[in-house]
Amino acid sequence: MSKRILTVVSILMVISFAISACAPAAPAAEAPATEAGKVQVFSWWTGGGEAAGLEAMIKVFNAKYPNIEFVNEAVAGGAGTNARAVLATRLQAGDPPDSWQGHAGQELIGTYVAAGQIQPLNDLYEANGWLAVMPETLIPLISKDGNIYSVPVNIHRANVMWYNPAVLAANNVAVPTTMEEWFTALETLKAAGVETPLALGEQWTAMHLFETVLLGTMGPEKYNGLWDGTTAWDGPEVTESIANYAKLLTYTNSDATSLTWQDASQLVINGDAAFNVMGDWAEGYFKELGKTPETDFGWAPVPGSVGSFQFLSDSFTLATDAPNPDGVKAWLTVCGSKEGQDAFNPVKGSIPARSDGDKSLYDVYLQSAMADWASNTVVGSLTHGVVANDSWKNEINTALGLYLGTLDGATLQAALTTACAAQGPCK
Amino acid sequence: MRKRVDKERLLGVVMISPSILAVAIFIYYFILWSARVSVSKWTGLMPDYTYVKLQNFIGLFHDPRFSIDIRNTLLFTLLFVSGSLIVGLILAILLDQDLKGESFFRSLFIFPMAISYIVTGVAWRWLMNPAAGGRISGLNLLFDKLGLDFLINSWYTTRVWGIAFIAIPAIWQMSGYVMALYLGGLRSIPQEIREAARVDGATEVEIYRHIILPMIRPITLSALIILGHMSLKVFDLIYSIAGKQVALDVPAIYMWQVTFDGLFYGRGAAIGILLLISVAVLIIPYMRYSLKTEESL
């Protein structure tokens, strides 16, 4: 008797195993019949202001397009690492979502355009008049060969230097605007016994600092040239940037590699450090800690980069094999609309990609960022995927990681030059 | 009678077929697939199986980051394996002295093994906080309060030797397991042998040196293999303590980062194959050895 049960169980196991092996094929088979009125949007916005912002934007979408069902396919975890792995698997299996989130720029273009997975959106830009309301210097950074591939929903700024006004005031230090002024300020603070003049965190925050130093040292034109091959990586501008970077590292905390970006920014808030370079999501974190802009913390562009807006952006795409392309166009129209962006950004703590956002919805920091966004030269961030594709960025990250161990600037510059030749536009 | 045997045999085959199938697909098929990717030039999202011979492997041996990985792995393995064996053996010998509350201590020492490396990593990340000056915390704070200032150090953020400190939580976690292995071995040695040695005038140290340690050598070998292959594959412990940083990089972390962050699938697969080979060099002789011993029993 019991043997028979065991036989049945084992046969069931074999069958269920066989069925589960077939499972991935199933959704594709039923797709055409059920997806007509649906749009699947894939993102990693699952928590905090991001999820709330997405919900706000979905509300706008549902009000405008009541006949299209919005399917939120957000995947949680690891600042998008998990989601991107899931997305890669789905694309390799030929089962793409209609639209997905990606950092605007080369991260998207290098990965998905190179693989033929997303379509150009120029007609959508023209139909909606977005070219007139988005900064002129932004468009080339999110295009390839004249084709625009994604619709940016929000804009964050990378080249922000946060400071503690009380620490600066106590030591009679003015907010620096050039590299030279910054070094003088750091030296004064160090001499006055400030434990950590410049707060730094784990390795990716060191790369974030590095890209802002590149910009601050060589200016926006030369900086842009690094990414299109017109500024040589073995040239004097990069040598000078590495020298400036090395100098800055001497003012940082010894436990940098053990701190997250939040830990590092918090050093400024607590008065343990004077400066920290971090993207403007730090402002959302400061406010979460109950701090007031301008009294508890101040901000300025990273010294040397005044007049440049080093941006990064979350944007949405149209899949080449989208089951419902019209649904995606409806979604992207909401993403690029004033209404959609003004619903999302005040909640997320970022600014709209359009320069005509309603300023009254945003706080004092974001208002200043909006003013800069409309007037500054826009350049892209390296760490956050605008200027280099994933492979190139990964090689730069390794070179920089090795440098942090050895502090050998010549080797770093050689490795950066090799990386550009192997993965970038340099020949 | 014969029919019955056949039926039983058939049933046996049916019973194990799901797991054989699963192992065949999810282990052996994927090993072959990884080997194929490792000799391809696949970089980017979509598969590209263009054959590039051993270029990915040759590239790795010229890659300064991969040399750091090898060095870190060797150093970590040496410290972790020897540390766990020594601590485990000492604990086992202490527990073997017929002391009161033995089972309490036995459980106490073996509990860390029940915790995942991630939890161990997070707890030790806090204990080994390298913050200095006013923000001092964790073990450094304890040393400071106890006046043991010479013990204050920057732990895993120490330049060049940081990886050595990662061995501390690993030893903490696994030495209880080694203790259990050794304790089983010590208990299986008949009391008569020790008594005979004592009658012959051997001191306690001599008994351990010349009788007990040689008799538990097979256990040392098993422990060595188990710890060794864990150490070669270490990922979660280091990731939860140090995150992604080149200074504390090991092959498993490099493999993950280069594949999923950098989209260098070919290079990632090559690292995977090298990891497999290094573990196989350790495991296969051991498996042959233990199969032989089982057969002779």
Side-chain angles (χ1 to χ4, degrees):
Chain A
M1 181 64 193
S2 70
K3 212 174 262 177
R4 185 176 295 166
I5 294 173
L6 280 174
T7 316
V8 170
V9 167
S10 58
I11 289 169
L12 280 178
M13 278 175 69
V14 174
I15 293 171
S16 64
F17 188 77
I19 290 173
S20 66
C22 302
E30 63 188 63
T34 53
E35 305 276 325
K38 276 188 194 172
V39 56
Q40 314 166 22
V41 175
F42 187 96
S43 73
W44 51 87
W45 285 337
T46 54
E50 301 179 329
L54 180 60
E55 281 304 317
M57 212 156 48
I58 294 172
K59 250 187 212 155
V60 176
F61 179 81
N62 286 339
K64 280 196 170 168
Y65 301 98
N67 54 338
I68 307 177
E69 187 194 343
F70 185 95
V71 185
N72 184 359
E73 300 207 334
V75 172
T81 311
N82 296 353
R84 288 180 32 149
V86 171
L87 181 62
T89 314
R90 283 186 64 171
L91 294 178
Q92 283 157 9
D95 173 33
D98 287 302
S99 177
W100 61 84
Q101 175 191 4
H103 279 142
Q106 291 301 320
E107 184 174 313
L108 250 170
I109 291 167
T111 306
Y112 304 117
V113 176
Q117 294 287 328
I118 52 177
Q119 302 181 26
L121 299 165
N122 297 35
D123 48 344
L124 203 62
Y125 270 73
E126 274 158 29
N128 288 293
W130 289 338
L131 293 169
V133 291
M134 291 190 192
E136 211 180 324
T137 39
L138 165 71
I139 302 301
L141 295 170
I142 59 174
S143 314
K144 186 178 193 242
D145 305 330
N147 292 321
I148 311 172
Y149 282 100
S150 65
V151 178
V153 172
N154 65 348
I155 299 293
H156 277 296
R157 187 175 195 175
N159 62 326
V160 188
M161 177 186 71
W162 306 95
Y163 60 86
N164 186 314
V167 173
L168 294 199
N171 295 289
N172 275 327
V173 171
V175 178
T177 55
T178 65
M179 279 284 164
E180 282 315 309
E181 284 177 28
W182 201 11
F183 290 130
T184 316
L186 290 164
E187 194 52 49
T188 311
L189 292 163
K190 195 178 186 180
V194 174
E195 215 170 84
T196 305
L198 175 62
L200 187 66
E202 58 191 310
Q203 194 175 310
W204 76 260
T205 71
M207 176 146 92
H208 186 110
L209 177 64
F210 184 65
E211 71 178 43
T212 64
V213 173
L214 285 172
L215 175 64
T217 307
M218 62 179 75
E221 267 168 48
K222 289 275 182 189
Y223 176 83
N224 275 337
L226 288 173
W227 314 109
D228 63 20
T230 52
T231 305
W233 280 92
D234 52 3
E237 297 90 357
V238 176
T239 314
E240 194 191 344
S241 304
I242 293 174
N244 281 341
Y245 185 64
K247 214 165 169 186
L248 285 175
L249 288 181
T250 61
Y251 298 102
T252 57
N253 39 311
S254 61
D255 61 339
T257 53
S258 73
L259 301 183
T260 62
W261 72 262
Q262 288 98 328
D263 296 333
S265 314
Q266 210 173 342
L267 294 183
V268 171
I269 289 294
N270 294 348
D272 291 318
F275 301 107
N276 174 232
V277 172
M278 185 39 58
D280 59 8
W281 46 91
E283 201 238 350
Y285 178 62
F286 294 154
K287 284 169 70 179
E288 236 171 73
L289 297 174
K291 302 295 175 182
T292 319
E294 290 177 325
T295 46
D296 294 320
F297 62 92
W299 61 88
V302 169
S305 72
V306 182
S308 299
F309 192 114
Q310 196 170 26
F311 91 104
L312 58 124
S313 162
D314 291 304
S315 63
F316 282 92
T317 60
L318 167 57
T320 306
D321 301 322
N324 184 2
D326 292 332
V328 182
K329 285 187 179 157
W331 161 246
L332 294 178
T333 305
V334 170
C335 288
S337 69
K338 184 166 178 312
E339 205 183 346
Q341 301 210 341
D342 276 345
F344 179 83
N345 287 299
V347 189
K348 159 87 156 82
S350 45
I351 64 169
R354 302 169 64 107
S355 41
D356 61 351
D358 179 357
K359 283 201 172 179
S360 65
L361 296 168
Y362 298 86
D363 74 9
V364 51
Y365 165 75
L366 293 172
Q367 284 178 8
S368 80
M370 287 165 86
D372 286 350
W373 176 245
S375 62
N376 283 0
T377 306
V378 173
V379 299
S381 157
L382 160 68
T383 316
H384 309 282
V386 182
V387 290
N389 64 36
D390 284 330
S391 301
W392 189 7
K393 179 178 128 187
N394 189 73
E395 299 295 67
I396 294 175
N397 179 47
T398 294
L400 203 59
L402 291 166
Y403 170 77
L404 293 172
T406 60
L407 297 178
D408 176 354
T411 307
L412 171 61
Q413 192 166 5
L416 291 174
T417 310
T418 313
C420 182
Q423 306 299 332
C426 308
K427 288 283 167 293
Chain B
M1 194 63 204
R2 224 195 109 149
K3 211 178 157 192
R4 213 190 131 132
V5 170
D6 279 351
K7 234 180 159 180
E8 273 187 8
R9 177 162 274 205
L10 182 72
L11 181 66
V13 170
V14 170
M15 296 282 284
I16 62 165
S17 61
S19 58
I20 286 184
L21 204 62
V23 168
I25 293 175
F26 291 107
I27 299 183
Y28 292 99
Y29 170 72
F30 280 116
I31 288 177
L32 289 177
W33 186 75
S34 299
R36 182 175 171 211
V37 174
S38 76
V39 292
S40 77
K41 72 169 190 191
W42 181 358
T43 301
L45 191 65
M46 288 298 144
D48 174 1
Y49 295 111
T50 315
Y51 178 61
V52 293
K53 298 190 196 153
L54 295 177
Q55 256 177 38
N56 289 320
F57 293 91
I58 295 165
L60 280 175
F61 287 106
H62 292 108
D63 182 346
R65 177 165 171 180
F66 197 64
S67 358
I68 289 187
D69 292 358
I70 292 176
R71 171 197 173 271
N72 280 350
T73 304
L74 290 178
L75 192 60
F76 177 79
T77 303
L78 183 75
L79 291 170
F80 165 56
V81 172
S82 57
S84 302
L85 287 179
I86 293 167
V87 174
L89 180 62
I90 292 172
L91 290 177
I93 291 173
L94 289 178
L95 282 189
D96 195 35
Q97 308 302 318
D98 280 331
L99 63 148
K100 256 200 183 135
E102 186 211 306
S103 65
F104 169 75
F105 286 109
R106 207 171 47 207
S107 318
L108 191 71
F109 294 142
I110 209 164
F111 271 148
M113 206 189 97
I115 301 172
S116 87
Y117 263 140
I118 295 288
V119 179
T120 306
V122 170
W124 280 85
R125 181 189 163 98
W126 178 80
L127 285 172
M128 302 196 290
N129 190 325
R135 295 184 290 116
I136 192 167
S137 161
L139 287 173
N140 279 353
L141 181 63
L142 182 73
F143 295 150
D144 184 52
K145 295 276 180 212
L146 294 175
L148 300 167
D149 286 15
F150 62 95
L151 283 174
I152 293 177
N153 65 75
S154 48
W155 301 104
Y156 61 95
T157 61
T158 308
R159 249 170 215 284
V160 185
W161 301 104
I163 189 77
F165 291 92
I166 306 276
I168 297 174
I171 294 170
W172 175 82
Q173 175 142 14
M174 290 310 292
S175 53
Y177 173 67
V178 177
M179 173 209 74
L181 288 179
Y182 275 133
L183 199 57
L186 292 174
R187 290 285 150 83
S188 69
I189 297 171
Q191 205 54 37
E192 290 80 12
I193 296 183
R194 298 183 195 220
E195 276 163 14
R198 280 191 200 112
V199 170
D200 287 342
T203 64
E204 285 302 307
V205 175
E206 280 171 335
I207 293 177
Y208 275 101
R209 171 80 186 75
H210 295 293
I211 298 173
I212 308 230
L213 288 186
M215 288 189 80
I216 56 175
R217 195 172 292 154
I219 292 167
T220 309
L221 183 67
S222 307
L224 201 76
I225 301 292
I226 293 165
L227 297 176
H229 93 275
M230 285 175 70
S231 162
L232 291 175
K233 296 189 301 187
V234 65
F235 173 86
D236 36 9
L237 181 69
I238 294 184
Y239 184 67
S240 59
I241 293 180
K244 296 184 211 174
Q245 50 167 305
V246 172
L248 298 181
D249 205 38
V250 288
I253 291 180
Y254 190 17
M255 172 175 74
W256 178 59
Q257 207 180 356
V258 86
T259 310
F260 295 110
D261 292 354
L263 303 175
F264 292 105
Y265 283 83
R267 200 195 301 174
I271 299 173
I273 294 295
L274 289 175
L275 264 180
L276 178 75
I277 292 172
S278 67
V279 172
V281 163
L282 204 60
I283 296 274
I284 290 175
Y286 174 71
M287 274 171 36
R288 286 186 56 181
Y289 165 83
S290 54
L291 275 179
K292 254 190 214 153
T293 356
E294 265 168 40
E295 266 166 22
S296 67
L297 283 177

